[in-house]
Amino acid sequence: MMMDIPVKPADVTFTDAQWKAIWATGKDVLVSAAAGSGKTKVLITRMIEKVLSEHNPIDVDELLVVTFTNAAAAEMRHRMAEALEEAIAVNPDSIHLRRQLSLLNKAQISTLHSFCLNVVRQYAYLIDIDPGFRIADSTEAALLRDDTIGEVLEDAYNADNPEAMYRLADSFTSDRNDQSIETLIDRLYDYSRVHPSPERWLRMIPMQYELDEEVTIDELDFIGPLKT
Ligand SMILES: Nc1ncnc2c1ncn2[C@@H]1O[C@H](COP(=O)(O)OP(=O)(O)O)[C@@H](O)[C@H]1O
Ligand SMILES: [Mg+2]
């Protein structure tokens, strides 16, 4: 569905591409441009135009705006306030506009993380999480991870068929504790997290070792890069 966008007035400095991005509707829009080229300006103008719309005005707290950093969220909120004040100066009698300034306080303009945190907290009862949960700091998270790895290894040693675990230990530890295996698992976990499907990546690794008897070491996929 392609709607006609307003004709760009002669006195605005927006480029044609900016103007299109401000008014695009009925589809997803991706704006990619250099720093300082006017992305935030376009986004703020998009928001303002939705609030000012003659046919279908919305309230600022109906928008969801997420950023990566707190600083960017604060900037968005600040620039939205400025844009509203400019609009009020042009249109001082608008009750709708004045209401927006007070609604701005509870508008959903935040980092992605804090938005997600709010959603999880609000709907904690649906996913069976203690609503009093909090975010672990990195030290605490590292301790929890260590405990978990310890428990997983313990279970592997106590499993009905612990041979694989003993082979793993023989291959990767030289001493009496499993520290080097734990470090290895830690690193694998961290590496896996940068992939879009961490679990799939982890499951793929062992497949590189599923080889016919007659395959020589030089034929292995990962030997080339290692030798260069
Ligand atoms: N078409 C334009 N003409 C003049 N100034 C512009 C234009 N687009 C953006 N600006 C101004 O350029 C500056 C940087 O814009 P900003 O939206 O912060 O860039 P970005 O978010 O892409 O880093 C702002 O002061 C903005 O008002
Ligand atoms: Mg910006």
Side-chain angles (χ1 to χ4, degrees), residues 12 15 23 31-33 45 63-64 76 80 90 99 106 113 143 152 172 184 191 198 201 207 212 221-222 224:
V12 307
T15 64
W23 292 99
V31 174
S32 166
T45 311
L63 294 163
L64 168 64
M76 288 293 293
M80 190 63 199
V90 176
R99 216 163 77 83
K106 58 175 190 132
H113 318 67
L143 286 173
V152 168
F172 289 99
L184 190 68
Y191 276 129
W201 182 78
M207 291 182 196
D212 289 339
D221 281 347
F222 52 86

Side-chain angles (χ1 to χ4, degrees), residues 47-203:
M47 291 157 64
I48 277 286
E49 292 298 348
K50 288 188 188 303
V51 170
L52 294 180
S53 165
E54 259 176 55
H55 308 293
N56 188 22
I58 62 161
D59 289 334
V60 282
D61 61 349
E62 291 178 77
L63 294 163
L64 168 64
V65 183
V66 293
T67 62
F68 276 113
T69 64
N70 283 314
E75 188 205 347
M76 288 293 293
R77 194 178 288 275
H78 176 71
R79 286 175 66 170
M80 190 63 199
E82 276 181 352
L84 278 173
E85 269 153 17
E86 273 172 39
I88 289 169
V90 176
N91 216 329
D93 296 330
S94 167
I95 294 165
H96 172 67
L97 278 180
R98 292 183 178 282
R99 216 163 77 83
Q100 303 312 309
L101 262 191
S102 56
L103 285 178
L104 192 57
N105 285 323
K106 58 175 190 132
Q108 297 254 27
I109 303 176
S110 69
T111 61
L112 190 53
H113 318 67
S114 89
F115 169 69
C116 293
L117 186 68
N118 283 336
V119 171
V120 173
R121 185 149 285 152
Q122 189 174 351
Y123 295 102
Y125 63 96
L126 288 178
I127 45 176
D128 208 13
I129 278 186
D130 181 347
F133 78 91
R134 59 195 175 75
I135 305 286
D137 67 35
S138 51
T139 320
E140 206 175 0
L143 286 173
L144 283 171
R145 202 205 270 198
D146 280 355
D147 285 352
T148 308
I149 294 178
E151 278 169 28
V152 168
L153 291 180
E154 197 62 37
D155 285 350
Y157 281 120
N158 293 325
D160 290 338
N161 295 304
E163 292 77 19
M165 186 59 220
Y166 281 106
R167 249 200 351 262
L168 184 73
D170 284 345
S171 310
F172 289 99
T173 59
S174 49
D175 42 34
R176 282 173 181 279
N177 67 48
D178 283 340
Q179 188 52 52
S180 36
I181 293 182
E182 292 178 18
T183 309
L184 190 68
I185 293 172
D186 243 0
R187 283 176 56 203
L188 268 175
Y189 178 83
D190 286 336
Y191 276 129
S192 75
R193 293 297 107 175
V194 304
H195 291 267
S197 309
E199 296 218 359
R200 208 177 63 197
W201 182 78
L202 284 169
R203 282 179 211 292

Side-chain angles (χ1 to χ4, degrees), residues 29-34 37 39:
V29 182
L30 171 67
V31 174
S32 166
S37 61
K39 299 180 298 295

